[in-house]
Amino acid sequence: MDIGVKLPPELEQATRKMIGDAIQQVVADTIKVNHWPEYMNQRQAAKYLGTSPGTIIKWEKADIGFPTIMIEGSKHYSKAALDRWMDAQQQKN
């Protein structure tokens, strides 16, 4: 759609730069918010699930199938497994 407004070249250039910068910032913010590692530590997993590390510990102790990977005493959590587990919990309710 052409609205027929003619801007001076310097104003048009400044407007294009401002729009381009805003788009780049939105993309960067989206990547930052949505970027989670494939394997997380307990703190990251809790943040990813929107809960506390204490709740993660409770879920692990409750024997409800919370997906935990144990490697030589170090706990890790797969993003994909956490997503599947959360989907399964949602379907139960």
Side-chain angles (χ1 to χ4, degrees), residues 3-46:
I3 56 174
V5 176
K6 199 70 169 161
L7 298 174
E10 50 287 339
L11 183 56
E12 181 179 348
Q13 183 179 6
T15 302
R16 287 181 185 274
K17 182 179 179 344
M18 186 172 52
I19 291 170
D21 291 347
I23 290 170
Q24 286 180 343
Q25 187 62 50
V26 167
V27 170
D29 290 348
T30 301
I31 290 170
K32 187 176 182 181
V33 168
N34 293 323
H35 179 73
W36 293 96
E38 186 60 37
Y39 293 95
M40 298 176 255
N41 62 34
Q42 190 176 72
R43 185 176 39 84
Q44 290 169 317

Side-chain angles (χ1 to χ4, degrees), residues 12-91:
E12 181 179 348
Q13 183 179 6
T15 302
R16 287 181 185 274
K17 182 179 179 344
M18 186 172 52
I19 291 170
D21 291 347
I23 290 170
Q24 286 180 343
Q25 187 62 50
V26 167
V27 170
D29 290 348
T30 301
I31 290 170
K32 187 176 182 181
V33 168
N34 293 323
H35 179 73
W36 293 96
E38 186 60 37
Y39 293 95
M40 298 176 255
N41 62 34
Q42 190 176 72
R43 185 176 39 84
Q44 290 169 317
K47 190 171 183 181
Y48 177 68
L49 295 176
T51 192
S52 70
T55 299
I56 298 285
I57 292 167
K58 286 179 189 176
W59 288 343
E60 290 171 339
K61 289 180 180 178
D63 195 29
I64 55 175
F66 188 77
T68 304
I69 303 165
M70 185 68 85
I71 302 172
E72 295 185 10
S74 178
K75 292 181 182 179
H76 303 275
Y77 306 86
S78 160
K79 181 181 175 290
L82 292 173
D83 289 340
R84 286 190 302 271
W85 186 80
M86 289 296 281
D87 287 343
Q89 301 316 301
Q90 183 177 353
Q91 292 173 9

